[in-house]
Amino acid sequence: MRAVITVIGKDTVGILAKVSTVCAENGVNVMDVTQSILQGMFAMIMMVDISGCTVPFSELSDKLTDLGDSMGLRIHVMHEDIFNSMHRI
Amino acid sequence: MLNSHDILETINMIDNENLDVRTITMGISLLDCIDPDANRACDKIYDKICRYAQNLVKTGEDISKEYGIPIINKRISVTPISMIAGANPGVNPVRFALALDRAAQTVGVNFIGGYSALVHKGFSPGDYALIESIPEALSRTEFVCSSVNIGSTKAGINMDAVAKMGGIVNRVAEATADRDCIGAAKLVVFCNAPEDNPFMAGAFHGTGEPDCEINVGVSGPGVVRAALAKAGDCDITAIADIIKKTAFKVTRMGQLVAQEASRRLCVPFGIVDLSLAPTPAIGDSVAYILEEMGLECCGAHGTTAALALLNDAVKKGGVMASSHVGGLSGAFIPVTEDAGMIHAAQCGALTLTKLEAMTAVCSVGLDMIVIPGDTPSEVISAIIADEAAIGMVNSKTTAVRVIPAIGKKVGEELNFGGLLGGGPVMEINRYSPAKFIHRGGRIPAPMQSLKN
């Protein structure tokens, strides 16, 4: 099962490292990363495999949200189906 | 493959444009709960609802978290209670409302709809008793919503029921006058009521529906408005196209949530309701979409045309995005629940007469409109009759949900808080329709041909 992690906010040192650490600690495999500056904001998108995730999805989501709050960033983790269904016919 | 633009667009819709799934509503048939002993019937109702809906709220929350989509409400609709309580003549139907309220509280939903009667052609004794009990039921419960269908395109309009409902609306408002007359916000009078509507307060589970099903209502006025704002100066054809595309995306999300909820709860998927449902939150307004199209203020001349365009484009976009569409499916214009409508009503741009015209081209009717507390019951009945006539002749659902603000006059305000919002008391026409209303009888069903 794949999910998409998005990180949006002001660019600071260590975003990728910290998000990746949460992933690694919870058995989430990072498959692809893209990042860009969008309208002056930092935007990172990670495609991850959560089939080996060691905690329930909601807990992973809470951990990433907490990390985002502590760094002043908005971090979402969402099942990839939501994007597929909205943007693909 | 997914591209980052699409992903960020979805995130932006959720974070900044109030995109959400408005409601997952579980429809539950109570026909097998009918019992000659009213106490036993109420126990069966409570048990069945609790058994079927025990995981509804948790499942909704899990889906919301996994897909990152806010799911605002989890609700239940049941078989019209007049059909169940009809088996217990002489018993106060409020007992059934209390059972529904307890069940709603136990499973944690925020509304339960179906304290209803369908009387478009006439009353059974059960219907009559239930309608009489609505004021007491809505004042003694917190979660129960009530609706009465008084007309249809096939049957015409039951003017006896129309005359009765004017008085009931007033009595409900009086019975809850200490709580900003909130009871009247939970009572809808319908013409052509749909049997699979997931939206409150008018939801009930029709007799043609399965034992249990999941219906989902989507939302997203903020997303549509933002898409139009981004498009800038374009012609009306382009506006319609943008709305269709946006409605498609919003509905696909609703379809996904509906299918997932249906799978996890092991309950058949019913329909997705393609309605644009506003909330009082800033930016989540249908009125602002109309203003984005180029009206100075909602209610200005041109509003009806703009709304017709919006309503049609939402359906065209949504229909392709969902396997089964139903319910009310159209743009809602509940005045107190829409920041833009509240503003338009306050500044005098939006009047009851304009709202009535608007209801001819959109779902669902005169919705959440605060009227003076001293409005005679006959006037409310006449408002219901006018609205039902629009629905009957145009083969569409219309409804009236007006709130008489007991003790308040035009210009003063009611405030319900939450999704129900609040708004100013609006001016009504004071000339009396009393004789017309008291005639009783039925308006015959209209011609279905020779349309002009």
Side-chain angles (χ1 to χ4, degrees), chain B residues 191-213:
Chain B
C191 176
N192 289 324
E195 299 204 328
D196 51 6
N197 162 27
F199 285 104
M200 294 296 169
F204 64 85
H205 187 71
T207 48
E209 305 293 310
D211 189 43
C212 187
E213 69 181 343

Side-chain angles (χ1 to χ4, degrees), chain B residues 37-51:
Chain B
D37 178 341
N39 282 333
R40 221 163 43 216
C42 288
D43 288 346
K44 283 186 192 171
I45 287 172
Y46 177 84
D47 290 345
K48 183 166 185 183
I49 293 172
C50 292
R51 196 167 67 246

Side-chain angles (χ1 to χ4, degrees), chain B residues 361-390:
Chain B
V361 298
C362 80
S363 96
V364 68
L366 292 173
D367 197 16
M368 293 301 284
I369 295 169
V370 185
I371 57 174
D374 60 354
T375 306
S377 297
E378 291 87 356
V379 172
I380 298 176
S381 291
I383 292 172
I384 293 170
D386 281 346
E387 201 51 38
I390 291 173

Side-chain angles (χ1 to χ4, degrees), chain A residues 5 16-31 46 48-50 52-55 60 63-64 67:
Chain A
I5 297 174
L16 181 56
K18 283 179 182 162
V19 176
S20 307
T21 304
V22 173
C23 290
E25 282 170 359
N26 296 286
V28 172
N29 183 31
V30 178
M31 299 159 71
M46 295 172 109
V48 297
D49 183 352
I50 52 170
C53 189
T54 52
V55 294
L60 176 69
K63 283 183 181 177
L64 285 167
L67 173 66

Side-chain angles (χ1 to χ4, degrees), chain B residues 347-365:
Chain B
C347 72
L350 185 63
T351 60
L352 204 59
T353 44
K354 190 64 187 172
L355 279 161
E356 189 179 312
M358 290 160 74
T359 65
V361 298
C362 80
S363 96
V364 68

Side-chain angles (χ1 to χ4, degrees), chain B residues 82 86 118-119 122-129:
Chain B
S82 71
L118 312 179
V119 295
F123 303 92
S124 69
D127 295 330
Y128 201 84

Side-chain angles (χ1 to χ4, degrees), chain B residues 300-314:
Chain B
H301 290 295
T303 300
T304 311
L307 185 59
L309 154 73
L310 171 67
N311 197 51
D312 183 64
V314 165

